[in-house]
Amino acid sequence: REPEYLLCSLTFSGSHKLLEDPNVWVADTGASTHTTPHEEGMIKARKATDDDAITVGNGNSEEPSVIADIPGTVCDKHGNELGENCLSEVTLLPGGKYNLFSITRKQKEGWSLGGDKTGIWITKGDKKLFFDIAIPTKKGVLFAMYFKRAIAEVAGAMTDAKRMSID
């Protein structure tokens, strides 16, 4: 039987299928930017340019559609809400499959990396992000965090619509 995690009132299998959840972010030391194939919850979007192209693991260049922020709540693997946060400058890669959290980018911003057999974490001052969801693979384990997207804030966020009074 596979392990299960209760995350923010939802139960997930400990299998690789968990990676397809739009709220699960894999700690990736090889990614130069945060990427997601999921548009949900994105705000402050801007159209991506040629300079925003991403080279993926197989060496191919992927063209992102937008760059945006994603507000939400960090949860631990038991579903406890740890606090609100915002992932900034996230690249939307429609051809991608999983959410990748760029550890390298955060290190360039002054965060320190740590880890052991229970997870990976990054710290900066009194702030800490813990990737405590272990997802077994054939050759090891991936560590991820659960970041519950603030979906309610999405209305109109991906458009340039202007609000007008009914008068």
Side-chain angles (χ1 to χ4, degrees):
R1 179 176 154 101
E2 295 176 338
E4 291 184 348
Y5 298 102
L6 178 63
L7 298 171
C8 301
S9 303
L10 301 172
T11 302
F12 295 97
S13 165
S15 76
H16 72 278
K17 286 282 192 191
L18 180 60
L19 294 171
E20 296 174 14
D21 185 299
N23 298 303
V24 173
W25 291 80
V26 176
D28 190 340
T29 58
S32 58
T33 187
H34 308 314
T35 62
T36 182
H38 308 285
E39 189 175 326
E40 298 92 348
M42 293 187 126
I43 63 169
K44 299 180 184 175
R46 68 170 172 83
K47 187 172 170 48
T49 67
D50 291 342
D51 292 337
D52 295 314
I54 303 287
T55 301
V56 294
N58 64 7
N60 292 336
S61 181
E62 294 282 334
E63 299 297 324
S65 53
V66 299
I67 310 293
D69 295 345
I70 302 175
T73 304
V74 177
C75 300
D76 67 15
K77 69 179 181 180
H78 303 292
N80 300 310
E81 293 186 356
L82 304 177
E84 293 181 4
N85 208 322
C86 185
L87 299 179
S88 61
E89 295 286 306
V90 179
T91 300
L92 178 63
L93 280 181
K97 191 161 182 175
Y98 309 121
N99 296 320
L100 301 179
F101 183 97
S102 175
I103 296 293
T104 308
R105 176 174 155 194
K106 297 310 273 184
Q107 287 180 299
K108 288 180 102 178
E109 295 173 3
W111 290 73
S112 296
L113 173 63
D116 60 22
K117 66 181 182 179
T118 65
I120 294 172
W121 55 86
I122 55 173
T123 57
K124 183 175 182 180
D126 62 349
K127 299 175 187 170
K128 182 175 186 177
L129 282 178
F130 194 66
F131 296 81
D132 61 348
I133 302 170
I135 302 170
T137 68
K138 290 181 181 180
K139 296 187 177 186
V141 64
L142 296 173
F143 286 106
M145 76 167 174
Y146 194 84
F147 183 79
K148 184 169 58 171
R149 294 173 186 234
I151 303 297
E153 298 177 30
V154 172
M158 295 298 290
T159 68
D160 293 323
K162 306 260 190 267
R163 294 193 183 266
M164 298 187 326
S165 160
I166 195 162
D167 296 329

